[in-house]
Amino acid sequence: MKPYDVLIIGGGPAGLAAAIYASRAGLSYALIEQGFPGGQVLNTAEVDNYPGFPEISGMDLGMKWMEHAQKLGMQQIMEEVTDLEVGEELKTVRTFGGEYVTKNILFCTGAAPRMLGVPGEERLRGKGVSYCATCDGAFFRNQKTAVIGGGDTAVSDALYLSALCQDVYLIHRRDQLRAADYLQKKVAEKNNIHILWNSQVREIQGEERVSAVLVDTEGQETRMDVNGVFVAGGIQPNSSLLKGKVDTDSAGYILTNEHMETSIRGVYAAGDVRKKFLRQIITAAADGAIAIESIVGTL
Ligand code: NAP
């Protein structure tokens, strides 16, 4: 079988934008995504920083992206990639379902939530510990929840939960949030979001399900009764398939140049998985477009 011009791995904004550009450029390509395309944006309640959409849910925006890519003829392979072989000329992508040969690989695998690493977190995962407020928030209607972190995700999650839960405790290790100003302003308007500054969760407690968190605030420990804990302590790159094959930084983010080329010829990376200044939907999409234009230039 003829090799593809490019196989796009991952169907978030970077991968879907790449698919749109690949279709327009007439490339032979497929997008490999094990689940429903859309990426992390599907777990975002509300997006209000993507131009043209002053207010849209992450799910609706993700659906629009997918419909757009499909309308232009995107071919999707719905399988999980298990292994890659990156030869000088041709690359092989293996999945549970088969083997695909391609001239180029575009890695758009994004990032995933990072665990806190505190006692109780692993054991109570899915039993009150969650990494996605929009997925699991409804289980905590009229209950008390804690959100851990101070970035955009933590603050967006706290806002989303405040509409469902009785009380939301936003537990942050510093005295200043990292989240965008407009999100901070929205939080200040909510009576049922309580921010615990300079505070670290030491343990998540509960027998069958979460019942409390042990919080250390400047050396003083407090046990707070909560039914749910939403961990929003940042993300880590989904780059394990390329581990040891391309250059990364110490955290595993793939290093690319401004053409999205990695240290291996014919292997490109776009979106949250690569080392970059700003990880947002708009920059992921731009990366995907640039990567495809770079590939077009080599064919
Ligand atoms: P982030 O910006 O890295 O924030 C992680 C937060 O968790 C920080 O406040 C950090 O504290 C805290 N943290 C990290 N490790 C911790 C630990 N072990 N214990 C306690 N707290 C810990 O991650 P993010 O909020 O997931 O955002 C990731 C990227 O996605 C960002 O680029 C963000 O802008 C983007 N994003 C954008 C939107 C949007 O535009 N609507 C929504 C979600 C995410 P410190 O502040 O002290 O470091």
Side-chain angles (χ1 to χ4, degrees), residues 5-8 14-31 69 72-75 106 288-289 291-293 295-296 299:
D5 289 329
V6 57
L7 279 175
I8 301 165
L16 289 172
I20 289 167
Y21 273 69
S23 290
R24 288 174 75 244
L27 302 188
S28 72
Y29 79 96
L31 181 143
L72 293 180
M74 175 176 74
Q75 188 201 335
L106 173 53
I292 292 298
E293 290 308 309
I295 290 167
V296 167
L299 294 170

Side-chain angles (χ1 to χ4, degrees), residues 49 114 116 148-153 172-174 178 182 200 232-235 279-280:
N49 59 356
R114 198 170 44 214
L116 281 180
I148 303 162
D152 285 341
T153 303
H172 183 40
R173 63 183 177 185
R174 289 188 296 129
R178 182 185 289 276
Y182 77 95
Q200 294 249 45
I235 53 173
R279 291 194 176 84
Q280 304 260 298

